């Protein structure tokens, strides 16, 4: 254990924790926006898988990481349109339709991978981008400012989303639609249009989250996300539907995951013990979620369909 408590290893663990938190943060921010408007999406995992495969395949064929990022966003946005039609136009039950999106994403991503690629083929994914001046700071620069571009994007989205939700007319509409859609409708706010926008944006971020995972690992394989999407949904509750809280939850999960991986690398935990310790991030998230959810309330209209006149 003494090998772990060295400056170099601790800094590397912190930097890795931030990278590992990024897919969770992107997906959870998108889900936060959707849930604040009253829409629950349990299909985040499936959208992430499709976004991850789209980004991986585009990068594999064109060697353009930028195109891979764009494809990941586009795939997520497309799935957002599909989910919006299913839940808003067809008024399907949100929990069931979300699970359907997950199963669809899981099956289609695996099918496309088997047909178009076949075997895991590495790609040149995201490289680190050092921020001038800040990247030269001792310790802090190594941890915070030697990351890939999607890490910076994810963490910059936190204050941006806070501002949108709390300081803009659109954010006021989102909050109103998520709490009392009937009252919002009576004041001239289009409930369905607002929800379509949040669903589209939220799923686009989920697709980007999948892209960040695939491009960071430089590989794609069956069920690459391995539960990331479901954890992202839990982190929304963890963060009490607030961007800063979601970021805190993502960081806790990312740092604990990085610590466990570092312990395995150093041989601190091996064999059966390593498998048990590997469960710590999920167990910690569940425990904190149980404690936090008792003190916070979800948007009043969450999962409740809206129909004018009812």
């Amino acid at each position: 254990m003494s090998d772990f408590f060295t400056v170099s290893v601790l800094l590397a663990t912190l930097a890795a924790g931030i990278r590992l938190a990024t897919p969770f943060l992107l997906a959870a921010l998108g889900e936060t926006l959707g849930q604040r408007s009253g829409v629950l999406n349990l299909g985040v995992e499936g959208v992430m898988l499709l976004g991850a495969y789209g980004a991986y395949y585009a990068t594999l064929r064109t060697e353009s990481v930028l195109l891979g990022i764009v494809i990941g966003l586009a795939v997520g946005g497309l799935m957002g349109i599909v989910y919006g039609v299913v839940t808003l136009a067809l008024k399907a039950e949100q929990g069931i339709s979300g699970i359907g999106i997950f199963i669809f994403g899981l099956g289609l991503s695996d099918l496309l991978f088997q047909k178009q690629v076949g075997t895991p083929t590495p790609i040149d994914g995201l490289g680190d981008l050092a921020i001038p001046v800040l990247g030269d700071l001792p310790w802090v620069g190594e941890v915070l400012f030697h990351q890939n571009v999607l890490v910076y994007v994810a963490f910059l989205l936190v204050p941006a989303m806070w501002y949108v939700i709390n300081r803009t007319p659109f954010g006021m509409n989102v909050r109103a639609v998520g709490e009392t859609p009937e009252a919002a409708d009576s004041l001239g706010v289009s409930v369905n249009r607002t929800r379509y926008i949040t669903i589209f944006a939220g799923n686009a971020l989920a697709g980007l989250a999948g892209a960040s995972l695939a491009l960071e690992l430089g590989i794609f394989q069956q069920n690459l996300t391995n539960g990331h999407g479901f954890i992202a949904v839990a982190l929304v509750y963890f963060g009490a539907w607030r961007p800063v809280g979601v970021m805190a939850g993502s960081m806790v999960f990312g740092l604990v995951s990085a610590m466990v991986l570092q312990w395995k690398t150093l041989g601190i935990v091996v064999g059966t013990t390593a498998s048990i310790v590997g469960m710590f991030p999920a167990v910690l998230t569940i425990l904190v979620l149980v404690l936090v959810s008792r003190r916070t309330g979800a948007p009043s209209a969450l999962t409740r369909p809206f129909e004018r006149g009812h």
Side-chain angles (χ1 to χ4, degrees):
M1 183 63 77
S2 60
D3 292 337
F4 177 73
F5 290 102
T6 61
V7 173
S8 60
V9 173
L10 288 175
L11 291 178
T13 302
L14 290 173
I18 292 172
R19 286 195 297 274
L20 290 173
T22 298
F24 298 112
L25 179 57
L26 286 168
L29 285 175
E31 179 65 8
T32 297
L33 187 61
Q35 290 197 23
R36 290 300 291 265
S37 73
V39 180
L40 171 68
N41 181 13
L42 294 180
V44 173
E45 179 90 355
V47 178
M48 286 183 68
L49 279 168
L50 289 172
Y53 178 75
Y56 167 78
Y57 187 73
T59 304
L60 177 67
R61 295 306 180 203
T62 67
E63 298 182 354
S64 172
V65 174
L66 177 59
L67 180 61
I69 293 172
V70 171
I71 294 297
L73 268 170
V75 169
L78 178 61
M79 293 305 298
I81 294 173
V82 172
Y83 188 65
V85 170
V86 170
T87 57
L88 301 181
L90 302 180
K91 302 189 184 305
E93 203 281 327
Q94 292 178 14
I96 296 174
S97 57
I99 295 299
I101 291 290
F102 159 61
I103 295 172
F104 175 78
L106 176 63
L108 183 59
S109 62
D110 183 45
L111 175 64
L112 291 174
F113 176 70
Q114 295 297 334
K115 295 295 184 181
Q116 295 180 327
V117 182
T119 58
T121 305
I123 58 172
D124 292 328
L126 293 167
D128 289 346
L129 175 64
I131 303 299
V133 181
L134 295 176
D136 296 327
L137 294 173
W139 296 0
V140 175
E142 180 181 342
V143 172
L144 298 180
F145 303 111
H146 283 264
Q147 301 283 357
N148 68 65
V149 65
L150 290 183
V151 173
Y152 301 128
V153 168
F155 283 88
L156 287 174
L157 277 174
V158 174
M161 186 169 290
W162 177 89
Y163 181 82
V164 168
I165 291 174
N166 295 285
R167 293 291 186 269
T168 67
F170 173 72
M172 182 177 65
N173 290 345
V174 169
R175 288 183 282 120
V177 165
E179 294 291 344
T180 53
E182 295 81 7
D185 179 68
S186 69
L187 294 174
V189 177
S190 174
V191 174
N192 279 349
R193 183 172 61 196
T194 301
R195 287 180 172 178
Y196 268 119
I197 293 172
T198 60
I199 292 171
F200 176 83
N203 278 267
L205 286 178
L208 184 61
S212 73
L213 183 61
L215 295 176
E216 170 67 26
L217 296 174
I219 198 72
F220 184 87
Q221 60 187 21
Q222 183 183 27
N223 196 23
L224 178 73
T225 51
N226 194 29
H228 280 57
F230 291 108
I231 292 170
V233 174
L235 288 174
V236 177
Y237 291 79
F238 183 112
W241 294 269
R242 296 175 174 83
V244 174
V246 167
M247 180 185 70
S250 300
M251 282 299 302
V252 168
F253 198 93
L255 289 172
V256 173
S257 298
M259 182 181 68
V260 170
L261 289 174
Q262 194 66 258
W263 285 358
K264 291 181 179 180
T265 301
L266 295 173
I268 296 173
V269 291
V270 295
T272 304
T273 304
S275 299
I276 296 174
V277 172
M279 298 169 59
F280 279 4
V283 172
L284 178 62
T285 300
I286 293 171
L287 290 176
V288 177
L289 177 61
V290 170
L291 294 175
V292 171
S293 62
R294 291 181 176 180
R295 299 196 300 270
T296 57
S300 301
L302 184 62
T303 73
R304 181 157 58 89
F306 170 76
E307 189 170 352
R308 178 173 286 179
H310 289 267

